[in-house]
């Protein structure tokens, strides 16, 4: 037996045992996955649940093809609120606080403007220094439009940096590069103590870890649905507005869909009194109803079980790296203050990821040198984790 064959054999036996005991193993069969591919990019684009294609076909042929314009009143117009209620338990929100509408970028803009409008007399916005670029771009534009300044600080330092000038903070729950999980309860509490409002970006946590917006007393949140929620490419984002803020929620994109009487065609804007006021324009029905179908895989799911498997997948990924690539430069925290991804620095960067692609292991690359491997507990297996690390060792 070769020098590396022994640890691989031992890890393979461990992976088989873990997969055999996986309480979520049956969920994998609900996804349309290529058996030749080990997919580790669910943190960018989730895999499609099998029922989505059939549901979308029904929407096109029946709801659109036969019911035509009647479907707006029968099912389509209320879809953003109805689907928002399906997402609410995944983010720890009581009813009436989540609506699906627009893109993540549009929703970040709406929420951040609303947050600073709700907190007058303060001229500063704190932004996560390591944020996904679009959040930073949008914060800069909000500042230009509202007369605020933007200050970038790491999320962990926000509790000490928020002060009497701070109107709002925009923070990522999970860092998109490293996968580090930030402490939402303590950050939100400290931000509130400074008199500021908290806007959370949940794009890399919803569908991966339990989120408890109500319990944390979060003010606003936005999340995408095409990553761990598997809603499909370009599926619409969702907005959370805490009940206590809804009556004064003054968002800048006051479109007809957020009007109190959208079909009344009034010349002036009157905001809907509830979460619907976070809507702006006509919803993208095909994408929205594809998302609705994709959410079926979450029905009855215990998020604690999901979290336990996600952490176990990450722990096993680290073990495989330690055994097979002991010099790997791991960016992701090894403790459990992390989301469901493992990030590794690699000098080969894009070339290394291209080589992984050629061998059927699909992760992704973030400049300048980070390889990301998303771990979607609903369909990622421990055997695939071993395959990813084994192939990485061979191509780097």
């Amino acid at each position: 037996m070769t020098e590396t064959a022994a640890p691989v054999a031992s890890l393979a036996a461990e992976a088989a045992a873990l997969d055999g005991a996986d309480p979520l193993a049956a969920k994998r069969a609900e996804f349309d996955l290529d058996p030749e591919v080990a997919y580790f990019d669910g943190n960018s684009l989730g895999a499609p649940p099998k029922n989505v294609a059939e549901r979308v076909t029904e929407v096109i042929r029946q709801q659109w093809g036969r019911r035509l314009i009647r479907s707006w009143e029968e099912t389509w117009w209320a879809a953003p609120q109805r689907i928002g209620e399906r997402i609410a338990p995944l983010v720890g929100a009581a009813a009436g606080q989540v609506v699906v509408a627009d893109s993540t970028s549009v929703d970040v803009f709406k929420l951040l403007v609303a947050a600073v409008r709700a907190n007058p007399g303060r001229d500063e916005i704190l932004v996560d220094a390591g944020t996904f670029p679009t959040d930073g771009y949008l914060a800069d534009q909000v500042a230009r439009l509202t007369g605020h300044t933007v200050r970038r600080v790491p999320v962990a330092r926000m509790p000490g940096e928020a002060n009497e000038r701070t109107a709002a903070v925009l923070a990522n729950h999970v860092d998109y590069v490293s996968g580090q999980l930030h402490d939402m309860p303590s950050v939100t509490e400290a931000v509130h103590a400074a008199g500021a409002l908290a806007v959370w970006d949940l794009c890399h946590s919803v569908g991966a870890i339990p989120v408890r917006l109500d319990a944390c007393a979060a003010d606003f949140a936005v999340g995408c649905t095409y990553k761990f929620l598997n809603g499909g490419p370009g599926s619409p984002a969702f907005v959370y507005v805490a009940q206590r803020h809804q009556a004064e929620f003054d968002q800048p994109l006051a479109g007809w869909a957020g009007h109190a009487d959208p079909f009344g065609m009034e010349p002036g804007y009157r905001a809907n009194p509830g979460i619907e006021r976070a809507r702006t324009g006509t919803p993208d029905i095909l994408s929205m109803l594809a998302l609705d179908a994709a959410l079926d895989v979450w029905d009855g799911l215990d998020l604690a079980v999901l979290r336990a498997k996600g952490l176990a997948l990450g722990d096993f990924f680290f073990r495989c790296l330690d055994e097979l690539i002991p010099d790997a430069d791991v960016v992701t925290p090894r403790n459990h203050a992390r989301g469901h991804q493992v990030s590794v620095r690699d000098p080969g960067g894009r070339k290394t990821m291209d080589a992984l692609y050629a061998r059927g292991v699909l992760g992704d690359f973030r400049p300048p040198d980070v390889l990301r491997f998303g771990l979607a507990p609903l369909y990622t297996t421990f055997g695939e984790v071993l395959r990813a690390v084994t192939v990485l060792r061979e191509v780097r």
Side-chain angles (χ1 to χ4, degrees), residues 285-342:
I285 290 299
L286 296 183
S287 287
M288 188 163 293
L289 297 186
L291 166 64
D292 190 26
L295 290 172
D296 288 354
V297 301
W298 297 94
D299 289 345
L301 190 73
D302 186 339
L303 294 182
V305 174
L306 180 90
R307 178 62 169 157
K309 183 184 175 183
L311 290 171
L313 285 165
D315 291 341
F316 186 62
F317 207 116
F318 294 138
R319 276 190 32 74
C320 292
L321 288 171
D322 291 342
E323 290 283 345
L324 303 178
I325 315 177
D327 64 339
D329 184 1
V330 180
V331 179
T332 304
R334 287 177 177 261
N335 60 28
H336 287 179
R338 65 175 190 262
H340 290 174
Q341 71 183 60
V342 173

Side-chain angles (χ1 to χ4, degrees), residues 113-169:
V113 171
V116 300
R117 285 178 171 176
N119 209 0
R122 292 166 174 252
D123 64 357
E124 177 184 78
I125 301 168
L126 293 188
V127 176
D128 179 357
T131 191
F132 189 79
T134 196
D135 288 19
Y137 304 157
L138 289 161
D140 288 340
Q141 295 305 313
V142 169
R144 285 183 62 196
L145 291 167
T146 62
H148 289 71
T149 60
V150 170
R151 188 157 57 97
R152 288 166 166 77
V153 299
V155 175
R157 284 175 40 199
M158 283 181 173
E161 295 284 346
N163 57 47
E164 68 280 356
R165 292 184 52 198
T166 308
V169 305

Side-chain angles (χ1 to χ4, degrees), residues 16 20 34 51 56 72 94 132-133 142 158 202 207 245 253 261 273 287 298 335 348 350:
D34 183 346
N51 67 319
V56 171
W72 276 113
F132 189 79
V142 169
M158 283 181 173
L202 308 179
H245 292 305
L253 300 179
D261 183 12
S287 287
W298 297 94
N335 60 28
R350 167 56 69 186

Side-chain angles (χ1 to χ4, degrees), residues 40 313 316-317 320 375 380-390:
F40 291 94
L313 285 165
F316 186 62
F317 207 116
C320 292
L375 307 171
T380 303
T381 69
F382 293 91
E384 288 176 323
V385 167
L386 177 57
R387 176 181 172 184
V389 178
T390 302

Side-chain angles (χ1 to χ4, degrees), residues 24-40:
L24 296 178
K27 280 290 178 183
R28 183 179 171 89
E30 297 181 31
F31 290 85
D32 188 5
L33 292 162
D34 183 346
E36 302 300 316
V37 169
Y39 190 57
F40 291 94

Side-chain angles (χ1 to χ4, degrees), residues 71-230:
S71 286
W72 276 113
E73 183 176 353
E74 292 168 353
T75 60
W76 291 349
W77 188 256
Q81 296 91 271
R82 179 177 59 78
I83 300 170
E85 295 297 346
R86 300 191 70 188
I87 293 172
L90 302 179
V91 295
Q97 299 178 103
V98 178
V99 68
V100 176
D102 306 306
S103 70
T104 304
S105 297
V106 171
D107 287 341
V108 168
F109 177 80
K110 292 190 295 189
L111 290 181
L112 198 52
V113 171
V116 300
R117 285 178 171 176
N119 209 0
R122 292 166 174 252
D123 64 357
E124 177 184 78
I125 301 168
L126 293 188
V127 176
D128 179 357
T131 191
F132 189 79
T134 196
D135 288 19
Y137 304 157
L138 289 161
D140 288 340
Q141 295 305 313
V142 169
R144 285 183 62 196
L145 291 167
T146 62
H148 289 71
T149 60
V150 170
R151 188 157 57 97
R152 288 166 166 77
V153 299
V155 175
R157 284 175 40 199
M158 283 181 173
E161 295 284 346
N163 57 47
E164 68 280 356
R165 292 184 52 198
T166 308
V169 305
L170 175 59
N172 288 267
H173 193 199
V174 171
D175 183 89
Y176 83 103
V177 175
S178 70
Q180 180 179 357
L181 172 65
H182 296 298
D183 188 344
M184 183 185 289
S186 66
V187 172
T188 302
E189 182 179 13
V191 165
H192 286 170
L197 298 173
V199 181
W200 285 96
D201 183 328
L202 308 179
C203 287
H204 288 85
S205 57
V206 62
I209 64 176
V211 180
R212 301 179 177 88
L213 292 174
D214 284 353
C216 294
D219 301 295
F220 309 102
V222 59
C224 67
T225 62
Y226 49 79
K227 299 182 191 296
F228 289 110
L229 292 185
N230 313 299

